[in-house]
Amino acid sequence: MPSLQDLVKQLNEAGQTEMAQYLAVCDDAIAEKLGEQLAAVDLAELSELAGSDQEEAHRDYTKLVPPKAVRLKEQDAAKLGEARKVGEKLLAEGKVAALLVAGGQGSRLGFEHPKGMFPIGPVSGKTLFQIHLEKIVARSRRYGKTIPLYLMTSPATHAETIEFLEKHDRFGMAEQDLHIFCQGTMPAIDLETKQLLLAEPDQLALSPDGHGGMLAALKKSGCLDDMTKRGIEQIYYFQVDNPLADVCEPEFIGLHHLANSEMSTQVVAKKLPEEKLGILAELDGQLQLVEYSELPAEQAAETIEDGTLKHWAGNIAVHGVKVSFLQRMASEAGSLPWHKAIKKIPFVSPAGETVSPDSPNGIKFERFIFDLLPKAQNPMVVEVDPALRFAPVKNADGAPSDTPQSAMDAMCAMHRAWLSECGVACDANRKVEIGPLVALDSGELKTKLEENPKLAEAELIDA
């Protein structure tokens, strides 16, 4: 760690004169603690970001065109069958891993813990973590090869996530196959002065560096090297708040592999322009994501001849990614740009006064995983059925959408459909949950029901 004198000099050179002055006069204990945090900050990079008033590149949204995609209504059964076989072969050869992004807390749900600990099983009360990890365990058993999980936390969720998963023996995953790593942080700066903000007298105001921070964190933690040592070729990337994510599904992995795509992404068809989903579209021949908040209302509402939305491809944050692509991007400086978010950031002044601003006063910096898409060779878009693949848990019950209740209803509906496909008559309102360790799909469920027909009557069909 640099000396206090060197840090003060570096801060002054980076234009952070307020922090330099504060560090020079504060108590030794405060200076030592702040010094450790500041030593981890790339002050030159921060100076460049702070000094840049250039707005993010303006897109001409009138030039957006829908992406080339594997559409549900056009999918060929033979092509899907071939893709499934390819995906199954990769799984059986141990060439697939899962990457779960779980840095968020359940604050919007009124749940002050990591969101992965939120109970979502409609009958069992299983947490999001349990459901996801059991899917990975079940998939590993089916194909006879370990599927390692790389789980990204944030500083706010890291310790509690580790404690929770250890307490529950990782829900059946072997210790050596679960790699928990923490995303990085970036300091926040004042909107006007561009000076560093303090959260406490001895603590910088830090925030997670976005889901795009995954790339740097994978490299720094050694997880990228671990993937290489294991011979992992493909990653199934997903987020913790979607209990319907069909983790490491062979069909999607196979489509992604057959297309020789470096990065593929799942989408659902938006029905209404106001749905809060970013869209995948092509601009100047490049596939990219446009956030719903960025897409002008005129373009969002645009329709085609059959009356459906022109910009239909709603992002659900499920990706297939080649490990070789991640390695290449991790070695390129600045491969993921920083985005500025102007926020209300409570802070402590150098005089020790706590300030709770009434309006946005600071800038946070974050990176987004989807910024890799324009850099990927042969990027691919695959449409999936939201009833089977997408039920995010974002808002507390009572909100218009994306609530725990809507997710539980979707899980029950899917499991009723599985039973119906197995010839079991199901009441439309039947509450039923099928655990991943019993079945990952209706075909597997049919086998289990043939072995034990009484299972069909249970409210909870679980191992």
Side-chain angles (χ1 to χ4, degrees):
M1 190 178 112
S3 68
L4 179 62
Q5 191 175 2
D6 285 341
L7 262 179
V8 169
K9 183 184 177 195
Q10 289 170 23
L11 285 163
N12 278 317
E13 288 172 350
Q16 293 296 330
T17 53
E18 285 186 11
M19 185 60 68
Q21 187 176 4
Y22 179 71
L23 202 63
V25 300
C26 66
D27 292 346
D28 289 347
I30 291 176
E32 184 177 351
K33 194 167 179 184
L34 273 176
E36 289 175 5
Q37 296 165 50
L38 288 163
V41 175
D42 185 335
L43 290 171
E45 180 180 55
L46 185 68
S47 177
E48 187 178 336
L49 290 170
S52 170
D53 289 323
Q54 181 181 352
E55 295 190 17
E56 290 172 21
H58 175 70
R59 292 161 163 163
D60 183 350
Y61 294 104
T62 62
K63 293 183 178 179
L64 287 176
V65 296
K68 301 177 190 71
V70 179
R71 297 296 309 264
L72 276 176
K73 58 189 175 187
E74 300 161 1
Q75 286 184 11
D76 176 74
K79 181 181 177 182
L80 293 184
E82 180 190 2
R84 172 167 280 276
K85 286 180 182 176
V86 168
E88 289 179 331
K89 184 172 184 287
L90 287 167
L91 285 158
E93 291 172 347
K95 293 180 178 177
V96 180
L99 200 160
L100 173 57
V101 179
Q105 290 187 297
S107 305
R108 282 161 63 185
L109 300 168
F111 183 74
E112 297 303 323
H113 299 282
K115 193 182 280 189
M117 291 169 57
F118 189 80
I120 200 63
V123 180
S124 67
K126 287 181 182 179
T127 62
L128 285 159
F129 275 142
Q130 182 170 359
I131 289 169
H132 293 318
L133 268 66
E134 285 187 352
K135 286 179 184 179
I136 295 168
V137 169
R139 192 83 70 188
S140 297
R141 290 175 182 172
R142 179 186 283 194
Y143 296 106
K145 281 286 185 180
T146 293
I147 299 171
L149 171 62
Y150 300 89
L151 191 160
M152 187 172 84
T153 61
S154 66
T157 64
H158 188 69
E160 196 173 1
T161 295
I162 291 173
E163 182 184 359
F164 176 76
L165 293 176
E166 286 302 314
K167 179 182 175 183
H168 293 281
D169 294 320
R170 301 166 299 282
F171 299 107
M173 284 200 76
E175 187 174 1
Q176 66 269 23
D177 298 326
L178 175 59
H179 303 267
I180 302 175
F181 65 104
C182 189
Q183 71 186 108
T185 57
M186 273 292 278
I189 59 173
D190 184 89
L191 181 60
E192 298 299 326
T193 67
K194 307 300 190 288
Q195 296 295 302
L196 285 161
L197 294 173
L198 290 169
E200 300 289 345
D202 61 353
Q203 173 70 52
L204 292 176
L206 299 169
S207 57
D209 56 4
H211 45 70
M214 173 207 77
L215 192 59
L218 272 178
K219 185 175 181 179
K220 184 178 179 182
S221 65
C223 287
L224 208 48
D225 288 340
D226 186 74
M227 290 176 189
T228 305
K229 286 174 191 170
R230 288 173 176 261
I232 302 297
E233 294 180 4
Q234 304 287 4
I235 297 294
Y236 178 99
Y237 168 106
F238 66 114
Q239 295 188 340
V240 77
D241 64 5
N242 180 14
L244 289 193
D246 193 8
V247 187
C248 295
E249 56 183 294
E251 191 177 281
F252 175 58
I253 291 167
L255 286 168
H256 165 71
H257 186 78
L258 284 170
N260 196 25
S261 170
E262 289 191 318
M263 186 171 181
S264 300
T265 187
Q266 290 187 359
V267 296
V268 296
K270 289 181 69 168
K271 306 293 186 208
L272 300 169
E274 59 269 23
E275 287 178 61
K276 291 185 176 181
L277 289 176
I279 57 108
L280 273 297
E282 289 184 11
L283 182 62
D284 300 328
Q286 282 191 325
L287 180 67
Q288 47 195 278
L289 184 133
V290 181
E291 290 279 33
Y292 67 86
S293 55
E294 296 173 12
L295 188 65
E298 187 179 349
Q299 273 71 49
E302 204 172 345
T303 57
I304 56 175
E305 288 178 3
D306 65 2
T308 60
L309 293 174
K310 177 181 177 180
H311 299 301
W312 61 272
N315 170 50
I316 65 170
V318 174
H319 307 292
V321 192
K322 267 190 177 182
V323 173
S324 57
F325 176 54
L326 289 178
Q327 288 168 332
R328 192 174 82 242
M329 289 295 98
S331 66
E332 286 186 16
S335 58
L336 282 176
W338 288 104
H339 294 264
K340 294 180 179 181
I342 297 173
K343 302 279 188 181
K344 284 196 287 189
I345 305 173
F347 67 98
V348 172
S349 72
E353 178 192 1
T354 300
V355 181
S356 297
D358 297 322
S359 58
N361 65 307
I363 302 172
K364 292 183 177 182
F365 301 96
E366 54 190 351
R367 286 172 161 153
F368 302 138
I369 186 67
F370 50 69
D371 280 330
L372 289 173
L373 278 168
K375 301 171 186 292
Q377 293 174 14
N378 306 318
M380 185 174 68
V381 174
V382 178
E383 182 186 2
V384 295
D385 184 347
L388 304 178
R389 296 289 182 270
F390 187 53
V393 182
K394 295 183 181 295
N395 306 311
D397 284 330
S401 63
D402 300 344
T403 63
Q405 190 59 57
S406 63
M408 289 189 280
D409 290 346
M411 292 169 75
C412 286
M414 182 176 73
H415 292 156
R416 285 195 298 269
W418 289 7
L419 286 165
S420 297
E421 288 170 33
C422 294
V424 177
C426 263
D427 181 271
N429 295 315
R430 179 181 172 186
K431 191 175 184 180
V432 62
E433 179 183 350
I434 301 166
L437 297 175
V438 169
L440 288 167
D441 51 46
S442 60
E444 193 171 17
L445 179 63
K446 187 174 184 181
T447 302
K448 296 292 171 66
L449 293 179
E450 287 168 355
E451 295 169 358
N452 184 1
K454 283 193 174 182
L455 283 177
E457 302 166 14
E459 191 177 33
L460 176 63
I461 304 172
D462 204 6

